[in-house]
Amino acid sequence: MRNPRTGEVDYTFQPTPVSELAEIAQNARAAQVGWQDLGLEGRIAVLQRWSAEIDAAQDALIKAVTLDTGRRRESLREAGNLGKWISRWSGVARSALATDPTETANPDIGSIADYSPYPVLGVISPWNFPLSLSLMDAIPALLAGCAVIIKPSEVTPRFIDPLEKTIAAVPELAAVLHYVRGAGDVGAALVDEADMICFTGSTATGQKVAARAAARFIPCFTELGGKDPAVLLEGTDIDRATTALLTGSCLASGQQCYSIERIYVHRSLHDAFVEKLTEKAEAIKLAYPEPDDGVIGPLTFAPQADILSRHFEDARAKGAVFHTGGQIETHGGGLWCAPTVISNVDHSMQVMTEESFGPLMPVMAFDTVDEAVALANDSHYGLSGAVFGPEEEAIAVARRLDLGGISINDAGLAPFFIGESAVAEKTAFKASGLGGSRLGAESIKRFVRKKALLVNRSNTASAWWFDV
């Protein structure tokens, strides 16, 4: 596979034969019975042992993810997420999957919840955060009692080797957690063998996965593309907003589905905002020649450079003004893009309407709140976004936006609260996804089929029985 920092192909792997997927799923399904029989506390104990193995393997995992993505700053976060998620989801599972009896409106009838995990969850995960996105759904699913088979992106496969060593060190887990390697054909075969699917990736591929799952009548949860907007109201703290949005647009070189990719600023703030954002963008350094030398890493997936170049050329041809960046740079064989601030943009330009997946910040002025809401909602995407301004006014605007996760006076908050029981659930709007939430305590119930056990304790005839 291609090293994003050098451009060289320096890693190879043997794909999992498609013909083996049926056997892998069959073995996982058989092992799942014993995994479920461990009970929740038994599964928590196993995952705690795995967490200790992950802690011991942090250096190897961070090195592998850094090689995969070309980024070190974000790789530290990825490796650090896993133990935190195991701990958080364990606490959530204890409350969300509780089956205590409850009374009904009929004093003779009691109700008991019961949960039956889907035997095998198939996870198809992307290249931008390869380690954490492969396990974001898998960890709560394992706690719920599922076996899990994961097909990560073939673009960033290096992390699988050190992670599999941690799994092998916990035999009970190794029986029910499997990684398979390969391209789209392996992912398609996984959809054909699993009992439910979680997919993270592009909208185009997500549509194919969802259609294939629907044909099998199995549930499919997708988190897809985005063109996340930010709205800056009158009264916004420009210094705070520019730092938040620079981070929210350029973290991971803008290669994250919840990156802010279009910014709408009240006209009274526009010029000062662009000036301050440009000043801060120019101060941000590329992480070159070493991964710790700056904060903007290379473009992990080489074809993304062509998309960014096309978007930049389209914007220039239509009159956009570039204040920083705006071109693909080559350093050491890798492809890079500096933080790019653009003004004089409108919705005729690809930088305002198509997912760019890069560190760009196109800024457009608005005059009224109604206009800002209409512009922010003028997209077939609806993943997440941000609103800045006085809190009460910002919340009022957020309620009008067709977006699932909205940060108020910040950007990209939702991913930091995966597994937090106190955070509200969210769903993706429009073409940004389908199915339940990854946030909130109830989201773990995606992985179980729900039963209602209704118990009649009366010794007399029920009122709705035949009179016989």
Side-chain angles (χ1 to χ4, degrees):
M1 304 312 298
R2 175 183 174 275
N3 184 317
R5 297 191 70 86
T6 66
E8 297 177 356
V9 175
D10 59 6
Y11 180 88
T12 60
F13 67 88
Q14 187 65 40
T16 303
V18 169
S19 60
E20 293 183 5
L21 261 292
E23 182 179 357
I24 292 169
Q26 182 180 0
N27 291 338
R29 193 171 284 108
Q32 184 270 336
V33 176
W35 179 247
Q36 182 179 352
D37 287 346
L38 284 177
L40 177 57
E41 293 303 325
R43 296 192 293 272
I44 288 174
V46 172
L47 263 63
Q48 286 175 338
R49 285 164 45 210
W50 183 38
S51 183
E53 295 292 336
I54 290 171
D55 286 345
Q58 284 286 295
D59 289 347
L61 289 169
I62 292 166
K63 180 180 179 181
V65 179
T66 301
L67 286 170
D68 266 337
T69 64
R71 311 181 307 245
R72 178 168 172 81
R73 186 173 185 266
E74 292 84 353
S75 298
L76 294 171
R77 252 182 63 201
E78 283 207 63
N81 277 337
L82 307 185
K84 175 177 65 179
W85 287 345
I86 289 171
S87 177
R88 285 180 177 178
W89 280 117
S90 294
V92 167
R94 287 187 174 107
S95 57
L97 299 179
T99 57
D100 297 330
T102 58
E103 299 302 319
T104 70
N106 185 322
D108 292 329
I109 308 296
S111 175
I112 302 172
D114 189 65
Y115 303 111
S116 175
Y118 287 94
V120 176
L121 165 67
V123 173
I124 303 173
S125 57
W127 52 262
N128 55 329
F129 287 90
L131 172 59
S132 57
L133 282 175
S134 76
L135 290 168
M136 187 177 286
D137 296 305
I139 288 171
L142 287 164
L143 286 165
C146 305
V148 182
I149 302 172
I150 303 169
K151 204 295 286 185
S153 171
E154 68 277 14
V155 175
T156 49
R158 295 169 177 82
F159 78 93
I160 304 173
D161 295 332
L163 187 64
E164 283 188 325
K165 291 179 181 177
T166 71
I167 297 169
V170 186
E172 304 98 318
L173 182 65
V176 293
L177 178 58
H178 306 273
Y179 275 81
V180 295
R181 296 166 169 82
D185 58 337
V186 179
L190 180 55
V191 178
D192 289 341
E193 298 296 339
D195 301 301
M196 68 174 295
I197 292 292
C198 285
F199 172 84
T200 306
S202 72
T203 296
T205 304
Q207 288 173 325
K208 296 176 183 177
V209 171
R212 195 160 185 146
R216 294 194 55 230
F217 220 61
I218 63 171
C220 180
F221 299 94
T222 63
E223 186 161 301
L224 309 175
K227 189 69 179 176
D228 289 1
V231 175
L232 278 68
L233 306 173
E234 285 186 284
T236 291
D237 180 335
I238 291 179
D239 185 56
R240 176 182 175 81
T242 47
T243 299
L245 289 171
L246 180 64
T247 307
S249 299
C250 299
L251 185 70
S253 305
Q255 299 168 121
Q256 48 189 359
C257 54
Y258 55 89
S259 288
I260 297 295
E261 290 203 3
R262 49 198 175 108
I263 303 172
Y264 304 100
V265 182
H266 191 273
R267 195 170 301 278
S268 65
L269 306 176
H270 177 272
D271 292 351
F273 175 83
V274 170
E275 181 180 357
K276 178 62 74 172
L277 186 63
T278 299
E279 175 189 323
K280 292 182 177 181
E282 288 176 334
I284 294 294
K285 297 180 179 179
L286 300 181
Y288 182 81
E290 299 299 328
D292 289 325
D293 287 342
V295 297
I296 304 296
L299 299 176
T300 299
F301 188 41
Q304 207 62 42
D306 296 332
I307 295 173
L308 286 170
S309 293
R310 174 167 56 83
H311 287 189
F312 293 156
E313 290 170 9
D314 174 76
R316 282 193 176 92
K318 293 174 180 174
V321 176
F322 284 72
H323 301 266
T324 62
Q327 61 185 357
I328 303 301
E329 305 173 19
T330 301
H331 300 289
L335 300 172
W336 305 72
C337 183
T340 298
V341 178
I342 317 170
S343 65
N344 200 37
V345 294
D346 59 42
H347 281 213
S348 72
M349 301 177 185
Q350 294 167 353
V351 292
M352 295 298 283
T353 57
E354 296 184 14
E355 185 174 34
S356 301
F357 230 55
L360 77 168
M361 294 156 282
V363 184
M364 182 175 177
F366 67 86
D367 293 300
T368 68
V369 169
D370 286 346
E371 180 188 2
V373 170
L375 288 167
N377 285 338
D378 182 23
S379 174
H380 64 281
Y381 292 114
L383 188 60
S384 50
V387 183
F388 291 79
E391 183 173 321
E392 186 174 341
E393 296 172 37
I395 291 174
V397 170
R399 294 184 189 279
R400 298 174 63 187
L401 300 183
D402 295 333
L403 306 168
I406 304 174
S407 302
I408 308 297
N409 289 319
D410 207 333
L413 288 177
F416 293 98
F417 295 92
I418 297 294
E420 279 276 357
S421 60
V423 174
E425 292 187 75
K426 75 173 183 70
T427 52
F429 285 43
K430 302 178 183 176
S432 285
L434 183 71
S437 177
R438 282 174 168 165
L439 286 183
E442 293 297 301
S443 65
I444 196 171
K445 292 182 180 178
R446 288 178 294 158
F447 306 108
V448 296
R449 295 158 293 186
K450 303 168 186 176
K451 300 179 184 178
L453 310 182
L454 299 171
V455 183
N456 191 331
R457 305 189 187 98
S458 172
N459 292 321
T460 62
S462 296
W464 51 88
W465 289 3
F466 289 134
D467 185 13
V468 292

